[in-house]
């Protein structure tokens, strides 16, 4: 174990600042990253890895994109934080709203967690109701009421996933299976008048990539309408990535609230909640729902977000991402086939998920079998040794960036084929 890793474990719980980084479900020690550029990260020993993590989603332009670095540097010279509105907030909000016509106001925060936590409070404030509904396998950040997993039965009362979440808080969250309209209908029949919001990742990407049928999402929309609940699309991963307007654009479904994170900050700490003016103006200072942040709308973070969105708006960017991602999907799937390894590569835009189990890709968590994670662990270690950095969990997706060239993609596929061969 490296000296830095030992020191990290003496001063940081688990040696990390966020748990999945700790390599608990894959073999080996996590490399400590010294720097990153374009499609690659370099550890403190100088090893180079082609990166499929992209900091878990924000880096759609790759690492240290020159225009983003330049914008942040320029902003830093003008002051790090003001505690007052800066031009960047207006400019980033205008760009976000142009991509999300279903919304008229944006509130900036500093993380995806904060965005969803605030959106849930807003939904409760607006409806005067307490209960919220989430789906098994969807992650919405680590605020208490959303750290709740499903019980065994349908629509059972929430049980806390994490120690430290009071039962009374968990009890306000109902957890439903994805891909199951009947379960949602039954819950709304039973307690529709108490539900403030249905919170869903329209492209669930936190327990693998569980692509939903659009009729399922449409049914959630109509159930919310029929019962006076708000529909919240958590697009912290999918927003600005799978299309400029995320899954709202791809599905044509209008949620009441959207949460963004990751890409909207271009690698700096930013989250956002957005919706119609009549809902969003219920936030303080105009409305009764309190929400605040010392560093919210930070000028450096806004500069990174603005530049990222402007780079993404150049002609052909999403099409190029689509084609490199399709090339990666085809390459990985081809290697699986050639080696006769049961598995599939699920993909929506530049979000990919490798699932090492036979059969069709599941649409709900229950369809993921235990053996898939074990097989992934062995593969992860070999990919890392071969110079490819995958997220250290079978349930994390991979992200491609505009910095990944065809030759990076081919390098990943070659490493994958070699890694599969060495597993046999
Ligand atoms: N919602 C979704 C859909 C996410 O994927 C995440 C983080 N992966 C969050 C919320 C929380 O965001 P953050 O880690 O920035 O707090």
């Amino acid at each position: 174990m490296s000296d830095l890793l030992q020191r990290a474990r003496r001063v940081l719980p688990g040696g990390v600042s966020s748990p999945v980084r700790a390599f608990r479900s894959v073999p080996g020690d996590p490399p400590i990253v010294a720097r990153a550029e374009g499609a690659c990260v370099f550890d403190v020993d100088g090893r180079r890895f082609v990166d499929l993590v992209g900091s878990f989603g924000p880096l759609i332009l790759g690492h240290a994109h020159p225009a983003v670095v330049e914008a942040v540097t320029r902003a830093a010279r003008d002051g790090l934080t003001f505690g007052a509105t800066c031009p960047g907030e207006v400019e980033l909000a205008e760009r976000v709203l142009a991509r999300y016509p279903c919304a008229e106001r944006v509130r900036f925060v500093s993380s995806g967690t904060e965005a969803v936590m605030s959106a849930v409070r807003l939904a409760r404030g607006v409806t005067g109701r307490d209960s919220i509904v989430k789906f098994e396998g969807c992650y919405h950040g680590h605020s208490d009421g959303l750290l709740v997993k499903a019980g065994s039965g349908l629509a059972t009362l929430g049980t806390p996933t994490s120690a430290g979440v009071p039962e009374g808080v968990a009890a306000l969250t109902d957890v439903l299976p994805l891909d199951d309209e009947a379960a949602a209908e039954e819950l709304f029949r039973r307690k529709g008048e108490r539900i403030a919001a249905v919170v869903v990742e329209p492209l669930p990407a936190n327990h693998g990539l569980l692509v939903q049928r659009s009729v399922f999402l449409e049914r959630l929309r109509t159930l919310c309408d029929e019962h006076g609940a708000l529909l919240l699309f958590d697009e912290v991963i999918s927003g600005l990535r799978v299309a400029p307007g995320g899954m709202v654009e791809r599905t044509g479904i209008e949620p009441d609230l959207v949460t963004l994170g990751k890409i909207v900050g271009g690698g700096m700490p930013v989250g956002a909640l957005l919706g119609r003016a009549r809902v969003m103006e219920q936030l303080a200072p105009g409305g009764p729902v309190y929400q605040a942040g010392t560093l919210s709308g930070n000028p450096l973070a806004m500069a990174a977000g603005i530049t990222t969105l402007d780079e993404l708006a150049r002609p052909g960017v999403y099409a190029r991402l689509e084609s490199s991602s399709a090339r990666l999907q085809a390459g990985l799937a081809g290697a699986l086939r050639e080696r006769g390894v049961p598995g599939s590569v699920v993909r929506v835009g530049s979000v990919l998920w490798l699932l090492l189990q036979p059969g069709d890709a599941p649409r709900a968590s229950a369809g993921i079998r235990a053996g898939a994670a074990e097989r992934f662990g062995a593969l992860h270690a070999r990919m890392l040794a071969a110079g490819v950095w995958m997220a250290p969990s079978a349930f994390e997706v991979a992200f491609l960036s505009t910095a990944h060239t065809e030759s990076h993609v081919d390098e990943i596929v070659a490493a994958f084929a070699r890694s599969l061969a060495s597993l046999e």
Side-chain angles (χ1 to χ4, degrees):
M1 192 192 307
S2 76
D3 176 47
L4 255 176
L5 187 57
Q6 279 179 23
R7 281 167 57 198
R9 289 187 176 157
R10 278 202 291 273
V11 291
L12 309 170
V16 292
S17 297
S18 193
V20 74
R21 300 175 192 173
F23 280 35
R24 286 293 163 93
S25 60
V26 296
D29 287 331
I32 296 191
V33 175
R35 67 180 194 90
E37 189 183 339
C40 297
V41 294
F42 301 85
D43 75 1
V44 287
D45 301 321
R47 287 185 298 170
R48 165 192 175 274
F49 304 93
V50 180
D51 185 23
L52 282 174
V53 183
S55 191
F56 293 91
L59 299 179
I60 193 166
L61 302 179
H63 293 274
H65 186 281
V68 178
V69 172
E70 166 65 24
V72 172
T73 309
R74 218 180 316 116
R77 290 202 189 95
D78 288 334
L80 298 183
T81 173
F82 309 134
T85 301
C86 68
E89 290 168 79
V90 182
E91 286 171 23
L92 185 55
E94 286 169 353
R95 283 164 173 75
V96 168
L97 293 176
R99 289 157 177 79
Y100 280 89
C102 62
E104 296 162 331
R105 299 284 188 276
V106 184
R107 171 64 52 96
F108 288 115
V109 293
S110 298
S111 68
T113 295
E114 251 189 283
V116 187
M117 179 186 79
S118 305
V120 165
R121 185 181 309 131
L122 177 58
R124 285 176 166 147
V126 165
T127 58
R129 303 170 178 183
D130 290 341
S131 283
I132 58 169
V133 179
K134 75 176 285 290
F135 294 88
E136 188 179 358
C138 287
Y139 178 67
H140 303 289
H142 62 91
S143 67
D144 285 353
L146 290 162
L147 271 187
V148 177
K149 66 176 181 182
S152 51
L154 289 183
T156 48
L157 274 187
T159 50
T161 293
S162 166
V165 176
E167 256 176 48
V169 173
L172 294 175
T173 305
D174 284 289
V175 184
L176 293 176
L178 284 163
D179 189 43
D180 188 343
E181 292 92 315
E185 284 159 7
E186 199 280 320
L187 180 72
F188 267 95
R189 235 187 334 269
R190 201 151 50 73
K191 57 182 289 188
E193 80 290 352
R194 282 182 278 153
I195 295 171
V198 171
V199 183
V200 66
E201 290 179 77
L203 178 64
N206 277 290
H207 199 181
L209 189 62
L210 303 171
V211 180
Q212 298 302 291
R213 293 168 295 119
S214 47
V215 286
F216 172 69
L217 297 170
E218 278 155 16
R219 188 69 189 113
L220 298 181
R221 175 68 280 177
T222 56
L223 282 168
C224 286
D225 288 341
E226 286 159 18
H227 295 268
L230 301 193
L231 180 62
L232 194 169
F233 272 9
D234 181 358
E235 293 228 61
V236 165
I237 284 183
S238 54
L240 311 165
R241 180 174 280 278
V242 298
M247 288 300 286
V248 174
E249 180 179 327
R250 281 179 84 118
T251 62
I253 299 170
E254 267 205 20
D256 300 288
L257 289 164
V258 176
T259 48
L260 298 176
K262 302 192 191 263
I263 290 172
V264 74
M268 297 288 284
V270 182
L273 53 147
L274 38 147
R276 292 273 173 218
R278 67 171 189 287
V279 174
M280 292 295 293
E281 292 290 353
Q282 296 305 307
L283 287 171
V289 179
Y290 196 71
Q291 197 287 327
T294 301
L295 295 176
S296 295
N298 172 268
L300 275 62
M302 297 295 106
I306 291 165
T307 309
T308 298
L309 265 57
D310 287 352
E311 289 294 322
L312 287 174
R314 289 173 184 265
V317 170
Y318 284 92
R320 277 202 304 281
L321 257 179
E322 174 69 25
S323 86
S324 56
S325 305
R327 185 183 182 90
L328 179 58
Q329 180 186 31
L332 298 177
L336 286 173
R337 249 191 335 271
E338 263 167 40
R339 291 273 150 205
V341 178
S344 49
V345 185
V346 187
R347 181 179 73 86
V348 176
S350 51
V351 188
L352 296 100
W353 180 43
L354 171 69
L355 174 61
L356 296 176
Q357 72 179 30
D360 291 339
R363 296 185 199 283
S365 300
I368 306 173
R369 286 173 236 149
E374 257 166 53
R375 284 188 285 276
F376 178 83
L379 179 78
H380 183 273
R382 283 171 173 78
M383 289 293 273
L384 203 63
V388 178
W389 188 296
M390 300 178 80
S393 157
F395 306 119
E396 294 285 339
V397 293
F399 295 104
L400 229 55
S401 78
T402 57
H404 288 84
T405 60
E406 283 194 356
S407 94
H408 289 119
V409 168
D410 295 346
E411 194 180 334
I412 296 166
V413 172
F416 184 62
R418 284 201 309 277
S419 299
L420 284 181
S422 75
L423 280 180
E424 285 164 3

